[in-house]
mmCIF file of all heavy atoms in Angstrom:
data_model
loop_
_atom_site.group_PDB
_atom_site.id
_atom_site.type_symbol
_atom_site.label_atom_id
_atom_site.label_comp_id
_atom_site.label_asym_id
_atom_site.label_seq_id
_atom_site.Cartn_x
_atom_site.Cartn_y
_atom_site.Cartn_z
ATOM 1 N N ARG A 226 -17.991 9.059 -18.238
ATOM 2 C CA ARG A 226 -16.883 10.009 -18.075
ATOM 3 C C ARG A 226 -17.212 11.185 -17.107
ATOM 4 O O ARG A 226 -16.468 11.847 -16.617
ATOM 5 C CB ARG A 226 -16.491 10.632 -19.444
ATOM 6 C CG ARG A 226 -15.705 9.630 -20.175
ATOM 7 C CD ARG A 226 -14.813 10.290 -21.171
ATOM 8 N NE ARG A 226 -14.012 9.220 -21.918
ATOM 9 C CZ ARG A 226 -13.422 9.398 -22.993
ATOM 10 N NH1 ARG A 226 -13.458 10.546 -23.573
ATOM 11 N NH2 ARG A 226 -12.726 8.448 -23.533
ATOM 12 N N ASP A 227 -18.608 11.373 -17.029
ATOM 13 C CA ASP A 227 -19.008 12.500 -16.138
ATOM 14 C C ASP A 227 -18.995 12.079 -14.710
ATOM 15 O O ASP A 227 -19.157 10.905 -14.343
ATOM 16 C CB ASP A 227 -20.421 12.958 -16.546
ATOM 17 C CG ASP A 227 -21.494 11.968 -16.263
ATOM 18 O OD1 ASP A 227 -21.464 10.989 -17.050
ATOM 19 O OD2 ASP A 227 -22.360 12.154 -15.447
ATOM 20 N N ALA A 228 -18.667 12.977 -13.788
ATOM 21 C CA ALA A 228 -18.555 12.695 -12.432
ATOM 22 C C ALA A 228 -19.804 12.321 -11.752
ATOM 23 O O ALA A 228 -19.810 11.887 -10.565
ATOM 24 C CB ALA A 228 -17.857 13.927 -11.731
ATOM 25 N N GLU A 229 -20.898 12.488 -12.435
ATOM 26 C CA GLU A 229 -22.237 12.273 -11.854
ATOM 27 C C GLU A 229 -22.498 10.790 -11.714
ATOM 28 O O GLU A 229 -23.242 10.362 -10.816
ATOM 29 C CB GLU A 229 -23.339 12.900 -12.664
ATOM 30 C CG GLU A 229 -23.264 14.405 -12.764
ATOM 31 C CD GLU A 229 -23.177 15.032 -11.344
ATOM 32 O OE1 GLU A 229 -24.188 14.817 -10.585
ATOM 33 O OE2 GLU A 229 -22.250 15.739 -11.056
ATOM 34 N N ALA A 230 -21.921 9.925 -12.678
ATOM 35 C CA ALA A 230 -22.259 8.511 -12.564
ATOM 36 C C ALA A 230 -21.538 7.878 -11.347
ATOM 37 O O ALA A 230 -20.322 8.124 -11.211
ATOM 38 C CB ALA A 230 -21.786 7.835 -13.909
ATOM 39 N N HIS A 231 -22.225 7.073 -10.602
ATOM 40 C CA HIS A 231 -21.556 6.526 -9.454
ATOM 41 C C HIS A 231 -21.239 5.089 -9.638
ATOM 42 O O HIS A 231 -22.172 4.218 -9.737
ATOM 43 C CB HIS A 231 -22.475 6.653 -8.213
ATOM 44 C CG HIS A 231 -22.560 8.081 -7.793
ATOM 45 N ND1 HIS A 231 -21.496 8.648 -7.303
ATOM 46 C CD2 HIS A 231 -23.606 8.891 -7.775
ATOM 47 C CE1 HIS A 231 -21.855 9.961 -6.942
ATOM 48 N NE2 HIS A 231 -23.151 10.065 -7.235
ATOM 49 N N PRO A 232 -19.983 4.693 -9.642
ATOM 50 C CA PRO A 232 -19.625 3.251 -9.709
ATOM 51 C C PRO A 232 -20.089 2.599 -8.373
ATOM 52 O O PRO A 232 -20.166 3.247 -7.349
ATOM 53 C CB PRO A 232 -18.023 3.283 -9.732
ATOM 54 C CG PRO A 232 -17.729 4.779 -9.947
ATOM 55 C CD PRO A 232 -18.852 5.567 -9.604
ATOM 56 N N LYS A 233 -20.400 1.296 -8.348
ATOM 57 C CA LYS A 233 -20.886 0.716 -7.210
ATOM 58 C C LYS A 233 -19.792 0.451 -6.030
ATOM 59 O O LYS A 233 -20.080 0.496 -4.909
ATOM 60 C CB LYS A 233 -21.603 -0.610 -7.466
ATOM 61 C CG LYS A 233 -22.553 -0.918 -6.332
ATOM 62 C CD LYS A 233 -23.217 -2.370 -6.534
ATOM 63 C CE LYS A 233 -23.726 -2.652 -5.125
ATOM 64 N NZ LYS A 233 -23.732 -4.184 -4.935
ATOM 65 N N ALA A 234 -18.594 0.089 -6.550
ATOM 66 C CA ALA A 234 -17.508 -0.078 -5.563
ATOM 67 C C ALA A 234 -17.093 1.353 -5.028
ATOM 68 O O ALA A 234 -16.658 2.148 -5.811
ATOM 69 C CB ALA A 234 -16.328 -0.789 -6.148
ATOM 70 N N PRO A 235 -17.338 1.607 -3.781
ATOM 71 C CA PRO A 235 -17.008 2.992 -3.252
ATOM 72 C C PRO A 235 -15.649 3.490 -3.654
ATOM 73 O O PRO A 235 -15.587 4.675 -3.981
ATOM 74 C CB PRO A 235 -17.158 2.765 -1.716
ATOM 75 C CG PRO A 235 -18.150 1.605 -1.527
ATOM 76 C CD PRO A 235 -17.768 0.674 -2.707
ATOM 77 N N GLY A 236 -14.665 2.597 -3.661
ATOM 78 C CA GLY A 236 -13.391 3.026 -4.053
ATOM 79 C C GLY A 236 -13.258 3.505 -5.438
ATOM 80 O O GLY A 236 -12.224 4.278 -5.804
ATOM 81 N N MET A 237 -14.069 3.154 -6.327
ATOM 82 C CA MET A 237 -13.933 3.554 -7.716
ATOM 83 C C MET A 237 -14.362 4.967 -8.049
ATOM 84 O O MET A 237 -14.208 5.447 -9.158
ATOM 85 C CB MET A 237 -14.589 2.550 -8.681
ATOM 86 C CG MET A 237 -14.081 1.093 -8.570
ATOM 87 S SD MET A 237 -12.354 0.936 -8.942
ATOM 88 C CE MET A 237 -12.349 0.927 -10.737
ATOM 89 N N LYS A 238 -15.016 5.599 -7.049
ATOM 90 C CA LYS A 238 -15.473 6.988 -7.327
ATOM 91 C C LYS A 238 -14.377 8.013 -7.077
ATOM 92 O O LYS A 238 -14.524 9.158 -7.439
ATOM 93 C CB LYS A 238 -16.812 7.191 -6.460
ATOM 94 C CG LYS A 238 -16.523 7.382 -5.005
ATOM 95 C CD LYS A 238 -17.797 7.769 -4.326
ATOM 96 C CE LYS A 238 -17.610 8.044 -2.890
ATOM 97 N NZ LYS A 238 -18.085 7.005 -1.935
ATOM 98 N N TYR A 239 -13.328 7.629 -6.315
ATOM 99 C CA TYR A 239 -12.339 8.660 -5.963
ATOM 100 C C TYR A 239 -11.327 8.818 -7.115
ATOM 101 O O TYR A 239 -11.121 7.859 -7.830
ATOM 102 C CB TYR A 239 -11.615 8.284 -4.733
ATOM 103 C CG TYR A 239 -12.477 8.215 -3.577
ATOM 104 C CD1 TYR A 239 -12.808 6.937 -2.975
ATOM 105 C CD2 TYR A 239 -12.969 9.306 -2.949
ATOM 106 C CE1 TYR A 239 -13.635 6.859 -1.942
ATOM 107 C CE2 TYR A 239 -13.767 9.237 -1.837
ATOM 108 C CZ TYR A 239 -14.172 7.948 -1.384
ATOM 109 O OH TYR A 239 -14.974 7.915 -0.271
ATOM 110 N N ARG A 240 -10.740 9.990 -7.287
ATOM 111 C CA ARG A 240 -9.611 10.166 -8.191
ATOM 112 C C ARG A 240 -8.490 9.325 -7.541
ATOM 113 O O ARG A 240 -8.098 9.655 -6.340
ATOM 114 C CB ARG A 240 -9.187 11.618 -8.489
ATOM 115 C CG ARG A 240 -7.953 11.523 -9.379
ATOM 116 C CD ARG A 240 -7.618 12.936 -9.917
ATOM 117 N NE ARG A 240 -6.481 12.770 -10.907
ATOM 118 C CZ ARG A 240 -5.365 13.418 -10.782
ATOM 119 N NH1 ARG A 240 -5.131 14.297 -9.827
ATOM 120 N NH2 ARG A 240 -4.458 13.222 -11.711
ATOM 121 N N HIS A 241 -7.932 8.358 -8.117
ATOM 122 C CA HIS A 241 -7.314 7.254 -7.497
ATOM 123 C C HIS A 241 -6.135 6.931 -8.364
ATOM 124 O O HIS A 241 -6.080 7.385 -9.572
ATOM 125 C CB HIS A 241 -8.294 6.151 -7.476
ATOM 126 C CG HIS A 241 -8.130 5.123 -6.447
ATOM 127 N ND1 HIS A 241 -8.711 3.894 -6.599
ATOM 128 C CD2 HIS A 241 -7.446 5.165 -5.254
ATOM 129 C CE1 HIS A 241 -8.395 3.200 -5.518
ATOM 130 N NE2 HIS A 241 -7.670 3.967 -4.726
#
Side-chain angles (χ1 to χ4, degrees):
R226 284 204 181 164
D227 63 293
E229 297 305 301
H231 289 297
K233 201 190 161 207
M237 298 303 279
K238 70 176 185 255
Y239 299 105
R240 180 169 183 235
H241 205 200

